[in-house]
Amino acid sequence: MAQKTALEDVQVLDLTQFEAGTSCTEALAWLGANVIKVENPKGGDQGRGASTDTPGVDSHYFMLLNANKRSITLNLGTDRGRQIFTDLLKKADVMIENFAPGAIERLGFGYDVVQKINPRIIYAQVKGFGEGPYENYVSFDMIAQSVGGALSLTGTTETEPLKPGPTIGDTGTGLHCAIGILAALHQRERTGRGQHIKVAMQDAVINFSRIAFARQAASGKAAVRSGNRSALGTTAPSGLYKCKGGGLNDYCFIYTTRAGNRHWDRLLKAIGRADLIGDERFNSPEKRWTHHDEVDRILSEFTQSRTKAEVMKMLGDAGVPAGAVYDTMEITQDPAIQKREMIVTVDHPKRGKFTLPGWPVKMSESHVAVDRAPLLGEHNAAIYAEWLGLTARDLEELKGKDVI
């Protein structure tokens, strides 16, 4: 008997596009939910064509964000399309959208309408901003990172603010939304009622930046960019150290806790400088911070004659937090990461072999194999028959009227 998955009985109508919303529904799909992308027949999710290298073929961007989903086409701008969507809503557990502000309401499917159609539905929305003067502004990841404080914290005071590489404004917001949906589904078990979930991208980035607010609370001033050094300014080492090789990413990040000297003492033993244990300049995290230039000099002497992998292994084996700077290709080719299905290769009907990151949450009683993203409308026949009992002839008629 096949193992059941955590969310296999959860039906999700996914009206999301680009990244913030699709990250949410991809997470739900990887937890076993039946996620159905409801897409415009003319082009579908805008992410399909945006930045594609081959016209008419789904972009790599889209394929990375829509694994394990199914796709139907439906024109919500038609009366028949809206009626069909209404019928689908009656059978759904979750509906989620991240259109521009006001778009879903103009289509006639605001929360006030949908909750009357299905009082048990979890209705989730991802927007750029929460209630306030900017709530009708459109947003993308870099906008959310800017107004959420991430840019102000990234880089150094000698540089302009920098956009962090990971898309925490998009994917980070999507994951916050998924958490809310899971909580709402659990609450529904007690109340029998659905609810309205709203997540603002700005707010999600603020939540990711909580440690910076600790520095503000301690200093009474806005947190400033500290580069690779400790965000709280309370310990050293905390930074990148150049390693042998001379490549763009031949560095290792080394950190010792601000909660005592145990990491520092282990570090000194590992690099052959046990003579510095107890040295007055370095015998507390605060003193090491005061003398961080000397700390950097000592560590650089050690790292520059070794590769980043060697440095990470030597320090990691000694119980010191250290991480080589891996690029995306090194991550993709790492056998251990592949073995735990964090990097997976799937077969795509138009792209062939395609490699993508998998789902990091490993559950002993719920395993969902990573599957490819769907083609536009690929599951029309199966889903419309399963959910609404529509026949092939019905679908041909709807297609002829530009409904699907």
Side-chain angles (χ1 to χ4, degrees), residues 256 261-270 273-274 276-278 282-283 288 320:
T256 58
N261 293 327
R262 63 187 184 280
H263 290 163
W264 173 249
D265 291 350
R266 294 172 191 166
L267 173 61
L268 292 176
K269 292 177 182 177
R273 293 304 308 271
L276 294 176
I277 294 175
F282 311 125
N283 64 0
R288 291 195 291 277
V320 178

Side-chain angles (χ1 to χ4, degrees), residues 111-119:
Y111 178 62
D112 57 334
V113 174
V114 172
Q115 70 165 336
K116 294 176 182 176
I117 296 170
N118 181 354

Side-chain angles (χ1 to χ4, degrees), residues 2 29-30 42 79 85 89 100 107 109 164 172 176 204 248 272 282 291 296 298 327 334 342 351 360 376:
W30 277 333
K42 297 180 179 179
D79 290 341
F85 189 63
L89 285 168
L107 287 169
F109 292 104
H176 276 84
L248 187 65
F282 311 125
H291 296 94
D296 289 347
I298 293 167
D327 61 31
D334 188 310
M342 199 53 232
R351 291 281 186 182
L376 180 62

